Amino acid sequence: MKLGYLPNPAAPVRYHELLLWRKILDRNPLFVTLTDKLAAKAHIRETCPGITVPRTLWSGRDPADIPLDLLTGDVIVKTNHGCAMNIFVANGAPNHSLIVARTRHWLRKRYGRRNGEWAYWPVVPTVFVEERLALSGARIATDIKVHVCGGVVTHAWVEDKEAGRSLLLDRDANPLPGRDPDYPREDQAVPVNTRLLDYVRQAISIAPAIAGNLDYIRVDFLVTDNSLYAGEIVVYPGAGYGTTTNPAFAGEIERLWRLDQSAFLRRRHKGAVRLYADALRARCRERQQYSPT
């Protein structure tokens, strides 16, 4: 209904089918760690200690316990178990009671159920206060998102949320054509400059260390005028429904995404699940044999 075609989740080939298969079958415990915004920070520090991560100033289960003095400056109040659960605080606004009410509402929610994003479900909901970075919107960009398959970067996606622009680049930081639903017009492309490309190359060099040997993951970075920060790790980009107008974007991920490297196919199974897993492994070997390198 969302993408206009009937998927084949049992033997996935297309990008969205692969993400659907992951949501249905791949219960990799690491996905829970990476989806938990607080646990992901610890993972990033462990796998890539050279990259800076935004500081967590406080965390807890009850937002009423947030120290009032933290809310007098510029900070972000977040919850760790979902997306778009952020309150940007500046000069004491919004006030403490509104922050408590809103975050308590978020903490009661179990994010990801509507779209089957399993990795969110086991995360213990927690509220935290994070330093607010001076992002370089309208000058460089605000976000760099790097897609990685089995340690190989496929693409980088640059977003400038402040200016409402984006840009797709290949693994060598060469700009590519193609737009996304958020910024569909060609005049909404992020202008290319030397500092932007330097940051993209830096993100591309760092992302595989954070991604490890996962079959597919997206590693996000935040951009300031003076530094690159690790942001989040995304297991289900776009909840599995993201699109672009450049078919090479999905095509390169489809070529490099090795299901036989998934946690599901690395495990031993019993009964009917074993028969399915064996058949899918055989299909993966066949695709690898006939796929161009």
Side-chain angles (χ1 to χ4, degrees):
M1 290 174 64
K2 288 179 178 289
L3 298 168
Y5 71 91
L6 186 66
N8 180 0
V13 175
R14 300 171 73 169
Y15 172 63
H16 304 99
E17 292 175 335
L18 291 160
L19 282 169
L20 178 59
W21 179 91
R22 170 177 281 186
K23 289 195 283 189
I24 296 170
L25 287 174
D26 201 4
R27 298 295 193 258
N28 187 343
L30 181 58
F31 289 166
V32 180
T33 299
L34 302 183
T35 299
D36 181 333
K37 289 180 170 57
L38 287 170
K41 288 188 179 189
H43 174 85
I44 291 169
R45 291 191 187 99
E46 181 180 345
T47 57
C48 193
I51 184 70
T52 307
V53 179
R55 290 178 297 134
T56 300
L57 306 176
W58 179 91
S59 66
R61 300 295 305 280
D62 188 349
D65 295 334
I66 299 174
L68 291 176
D69 61 322
L70 283 182
L71 303 179
T72 60
D74 292 352
V75 296
I76 308 176
V77 180
K78 300 181 175 182
T79 55
N80 67 326
H81 68 302
C83 292
M85 297 180 181
N86 309 313
I87 301 174
F88 294 86
V89 180
N91 300 318
N95 62 43
H96 183 261
S97 60
L98 188 150
I99 291 172
V100 170
R102 188 176 300 175
T103 51
R104 280 181 173 168
H105 171 70
W106 290 338
L107 291 171
R108 289 192 295 267
K109 296 177 66 175
R110 281 296 182 265
Y111 188 87
R113 293 194 180 278
R114 173 176 294 181
N115 292 316
E117 297 165 283
W118 162 82
Y120 286 105
W121 305 348
V123 175
V124 178
T126 304
V127 62
F128 64 102
V129 181
E130 185 178 88
E131 68 171 316
R132 184 172 177 179
L133 302 176
L135 299 182
S136 193
R139 293 183 299 278
I140 306 174
T142 58
D143 302 75
I144 299 173
K145 308 171 191 294
V146 183
H147 297 257
V148 187
C149 289
V152 179
V153 170
T154 64
H155 298 90
W157 191 270
V158 172
E159 186 175 16
D160 188 337
K161 293 179 180 177
E162 182 175 325
R165 301 181 295 204
S166 67
L167 184 68
L168 178 64
L169 303 100
D170 66 17
R171 65 175 61 90
D172 297 315
N174 297 310
L176 296 172
R179 311 302 312 142
D180 59 284
D182 291 335
Y183 313 107
R185 304 192 314 271
E186 288 305 317
D187 63 352
Q188 291 178 300
V190 172
V192 176
N193 58 62
T194 301
R195 293 183 68 193
L196 173 67
L197 295 181
D198 286 344
Y199 275 135
V200 171
R201 293 187 185 100
Q202 186 181 348
I204 287 172
S205 70
I206 294 169
I210 297 173
N213 64 355
L214 287 170
D215 48 340
Y216 171 64
I217 206 75
R218 196 186 82 194
V219 183
D220 293 356
F221 298 85
L222 299 169
V223 179
T224 71
D225 286 350
N226 303 312
S227 185
L228 189 72
Y229 287 75
E232 300 176 0
I233 305 172
V234 183
V235 174
Y236 313 108
Y241 306 117
T243 60
T244 74
T245 59
N246 188 337
F249 170 78
E252 187 69 356
I253 296 174
E254 292 163 1
R255 185 179 72 86
L256 293 173
W257 188 334
R258 295 275 304 277
L259 284 186
D260 55 338
Q261 295 179 350
S262 67
F264 176 81
L265 288 185
R266 288 172 184 256
R267 291 200 308 269
R268 295 192 176 198
H269 301 281
K270 297 180 180 180
V273 179
R274 178 182 176 180
L275 294 176
Y276 167 70
D278 288 345
L280 186 56
R281 288 190 195 98
R283 185 182 179 92
C284 289
R285 288 193 295 269
E286 181 180 349
R287 282 180 56 83
Q288 284 298 119
Q289 181 179 355
Y290 293 105
S291 294
T293 58

